[in-house]
Amino acid sequence: MKTKKTIITLFTSLFMMVLCFASTNLSAQAKKETAKTKECCMMKDGKMMHHKDGVTMPMEKNMTMKNGTVCMVNGECVMKDGKKMTMKEGECMDMNGKMDKCKKSDPKATIYTCSMHPEVTSDKPGKCPKCGMELIKKK
């Protein structure tokens, strides 16, 4: 009888360890996905850009952030309380409405662009979200 209790206790402990490891791994994976898919609007080269999933392209319409702030295509942002501000070169606003300086990309990093839409850039190969053509390495 004592052996059966010991086996059950060992099995339960092993199960709990596996469950703990799995949840920790899923949590880390979710954080990695969140970091990878950061979405924001930014002022780049005097134009408002939308960045999502590693692809940056010109904003075609106003964006409303989770906190109620509206970023407009002309670079003006209207906060929920009605205050207005104009984004400056290199500034970003994330989807929570937090302003920050855009992180400088690694100058050695490869940038991909569309031959038909050079304003579309990405940090990885893929397809142009505007026309579906393959993105090519920027020279």
Side-chain angles (χ1 to χ4, degrees):
M1 192 67 154
K2 189 175 182 181
T3 307
K4 191 174 183 181
K5 279 186 177 180
T6 306
I7 291 172
I8 291 172
T9 304
L10 284 171
F11 179 74
T12 304
S13 297
L14 180 62
F15 178 75
M16 293 302 286
M17 285 178 16
V18 168
L19 188 62
C20 182
F21 175 75
S23 67
T24 303
N25 194 23
L26 286 174
S27 175
Q29 192 173 2
K31 284 181 185 174
K32 188 187 252 184
E33 285 297 311
T34 302
K36 181 179 132 184
T37 60
K38 180 185 176 198
E39 184 177 4
C40 65
C41 61
M42 66 178 81
M43 180 63 75
K44 181 179 176 190
D45 300 326
K47 298 177 189 157
M48 285 298 287
M49 307 294 275
H50 179 210
H51 179 82
K52 184 177 181 181
D53 296 330
V55 177
T56 304
M57 55 189 295
M59 278 178 53
E60 295 178 348
K61 60 182 181 177
N62 298 344
M63 288 177 62
T64 303
M65 307 311 179
K66 291 177 186 173
N67 73 343
T69 299
V70 178
C71 281
M72 294 182 250
V73 215
N74 66 2
E76 188 175 272
C77 296
V78 181
M79 311 310 174
K80 192 175 184 177
D81 63 5
K83 289 183 186 173
K84 293 181 180 180
M85 56 87 58
T86 303
M87 290 186 71
K88 296 175 181 66
E89 186 69 27
E91 289 182 333
C92 294
M93 182 176 289
D94 67 18
M95 292 308 290
N96 294 319
K98 183 181 174 202
M99 288 288 295
D100 204 354
K101 289 283 183 189
C102 295
K103 292 180 180 164
K104 301 262 188 214
S105 59
D106 181 0
K108 298 175 193 168
T110 304
I111 301 293
Y112 296 87
T113 189
C114 175
S115 56
M116 295 296 292
H117 303 100
E119 68 277 9
V120 174
T121 60
S122 177
D123 54 2
K124 59 187 177 233
K127 296 195 179 287
C128 174
K130 288 186 170 184
C131 67
M133 289 180 62
E134 288 292 324
L135 300 178
I136 56 173
K137 286 184 183 179
K138 194 173 183 178
K139 296 177 184 176

